[in-house]
Amino acid sequence: MSEQQHTPGEAELAEMSRDELVAAGLEADHVVIAKRVERFPVPGTRAEKRAVRGVAAWFAVTAISGLAFLAVYVLWPNEYRTPDTPGSFWYDLYTPMLGLTLGLSVFALGIGVIAYAKKLLPDETAVQQRHAEGSTEFDKQTTAAILADSGATSGLARRKLITRSAGAAAGVFGLGVGVFALGGLVKNPWGKGDKSDLLVTGWATENGEKVFLRRDVGDPLKVSLVRPEDLDAGGFETVFPFKKSEEHDEHALIKGVRRSDSPVMLIRLRPGQKVVKRKGQEDFNYGDYYAYSKICTHLGCPTSLFEQQTGRLLCPCHQSQFDVFTYAKPIFGPATRSLPQLPITVDPETGYLIARGDFIEPIGPGYWERKS
């Protein structure tokens, strides 16, 4: 057994200098400084100044790229432009420029911190025996002294260029992250009332215009409509909305297959399949054809897998399962709300499948606000 160490009282602690507190704290915690070599034993040398300027330069790059990120986020053209139209080149660069400026800011900040540690902090090796004890007043004061000593030996107090550049870098970087996080909350999603984005999907129509079911053939400018005979019994297909008025509108055609609330699973059940329909939606199907939103009501992933034998739609992200034979209600996994059903029929003039109207409830995650 080693001899019990003397623990100074509060009066003794008050009279001890910082160096004495550091030494006492290290001894009490069984810490041995095996090696401690100053990077620049003589302060203010040309070598030290070069190292300081190098570190400060990285922090300056962080601040400048952070300001550039803010400028791109606020000022860069971000309204959609179709390819080969005026402004499309700058629009295409919007997201890459956001990633470039923010990435450079993060990269430069990390390099600056690492460079400071490697070039300016003392080269120190400390060894300590691990122990689990409560913190006494002695422990608290000696620990505070050790932290203060670490700050003093780091040289930050006399290296004003680094502290200022690091402060600017941290401030601008924090502001950029804050703008990025809160930028999506600036626009009121309910500002359009009953026509707000969370209440209206791409299947909504005005003036009674027909909305056809369209498949994605890989080229958003090519339109392929769906007839009932296109699907075999037990088959399914992902479809999107299409209006005749959009036929020569490249922007609308692209948006139709890219809009996040547009994908719908068109499913043809096998003949004679027993189905339980949701109250108030008994006529939403067309014969054996049922159309459900493809957006999972848990977190918005695509419900891409269908088992025709069991009638289950599976979301591969978190394994939520929906029973198509029972109005697509959730039967497994974290989803708690049925998939919204799209009312469909066949256009008597063309023979193509069309939507009879928009969804009667918001699609997507269950935490979205609903009308009811």
Side-chain angles (χ1 to χ4, degrees):
M1 294 288 292
S2 59
E3 295 183 2
Q4 187 174 5
Q5 294 180 340
H6 168 66
T7 301
E10 292 187 17
E12 293 180 80
L13 291 172
E15 296 178 356
M16 296 174 68
S17 66
R18 190 187 70 192
D19 291 340
E20 291 174 333
L21 285 170
V22 169
L26 294 175
E27 181 182 0
D29 283 341
H30 307 288
V31 176
V32 177
I33 304 298
K35 182 183 72 171
R36 185 173 189 174
V37 180
E38 294 289 340
R39 301 286 186 183
F40 300 98
V42 180
T45 61
R46 291 183 177 179
E48 181 185 12
K49 291 180 179 179
R50 283 197 302 270
V52 168
R53 287 195 296 268
V55 173
W58 283 111
F59 290 142
V61 171
T62 300
I64 294 171
S65 55
L67 289 173
F69 168 80
L70 291 173
V72 171
Y73 191 87
V74 175
L75 303 175
W76 200 278
N78 57 10
E79 293 294 332
Y80 178 79
R81 295 289 186 273
T82 56
D84 301 324
T85 59
S88 63
F89 173 78
W90 299 109
Y91 164 78
D92 291 339
L93 290 179
Y94 177 66
T95 299
M97 288 301 296
L98 285 178
L100 176 64
T101 52
L102 182 59
L104 180 59
S105 183
V106 175
F107 176 78
L109 180 62
I111 293 297
V113 172
I114 294 173
Y116 185 83
K118 286 186 170 293
K119 294 183 176 181
L120 298 172
L121 288 181
D123 182 11
E124 180 178 290
T125 302
V127 181
Q128 179 184 23
Q129 295 181 1
R130 298 183 66 87
H131 58 85
E133 298 175 358
S135 297
T136 63
E137 186 63 27
F138 172 77
D139 293 330
K140 295 176 183 178
Q141 292 202 31
T142 54
T143 300
I146 291 172
L147 292 175
D149 181 69
S150 298
T153 56
S154 69
L156 278 175
R158 63 185 178 85
R159 291 162 178 158
K160 299 299 183 182
L161 181 60
I162 288 182
T163 56
R164 291 168 183 168
S165 60
V172 173
F173 180 77
L175 181 62
V177 172
V179 169
F180 185 74
L182 299 177
L185 303 178
V186 174
K187 186 178 180 180
N188 180 11
W190 308 105
K192 299 179 183 178
D194 290 340
K195 294 185 178 181
S196 298
D197 292 337
L198 296 185
L199 297 176
V200 178
T201 75
W203 296 94
T205 185
E206 295 182 2
N207 303 321
E209 184 179 9
K210 298 175 183 177
V211 183
F212 292 87
L213 275 60
R214 166 195 179 188
R215 58 174 59 90
D216 185 0
V217 295
D219 184 349
L221 302 183
K222 292 184 179 180
V223 177
S224 176
L225 304 182
V226 182
R227 296 179 182 273
E229 57 267 25
D230 292 342
L231 264 70
D232 296 329
F236 71 95
E237 187 169 8
T238 301
V239 294
F240 303 87
F242 168 75
K243 305 179 184 72
K244 287 291 186 179
S245 60
E246 302 171 347
E247 191 168 10
H248 303 293
D249 186 340
E250 292 186 3
H251 182 196
L253 290 174
I254 295 173
K255 185 177 180 180
V257 294
R258 297 291 185 267
R259 183 166 166 167
S260 61
D261 60 8
S262 293
V264 162
M265 289 281 286
L266 177 64
I267 302 172
R268 181 181 182 183
L269 302 182
R270 292 175 298 175
Q273 175 63 52
K274 184 178 179 181
V275 175
V276 177
K277 299 182 180 181
R278 195 172 184 179
K279 185 178 180 179
Q281 302 181 13
E282 292 86 352
D283 61 346
F284 276 25
N285 61 296
Y286 175 76
D288 294 330
Y289 295 84
Y290 291 76
Y292 290 100
S293 169
K294 193 172 183 175
I295 310 304
C296 180
T297 55
H298 173 226
L299 288 180
C301 296
T303 55
S304 305
L305 305 175
F306 175 62
E307 296 178 351
Q308 61 172 272
Q309 299 293 331
T310 62
R312 293 190 179 189
L313 267 176
L314 173 66
C315 176
C317 292
H318 306 99
Q319 280 65 60
S320 291
Q321 295 183 21
F322 303 88
D323 185 3
V324 174
F325 298 160
T326 308
Y327 54 85
K329 73 173 185 179
I331 55 176
F332 183 82
T336 59
R337 187 163 64 95
S338 300
L339 294 173
Q341 185 175 357
L342 181 71
I344 59 173
T345 188
V346 168
D347 178 25
E349 298 179 1
T350 62
Y352 291 114
L353 287 165
I354 59 173
R356 291 172 41 211
D358 199 3
F359 294 98
I360 63 173
E361 60 180 321
I363 58 92
Y367 51 75
W368 282 4
E369 188 174 335
R370 289 177 281 171
K371 290 182 180 180
S372 58

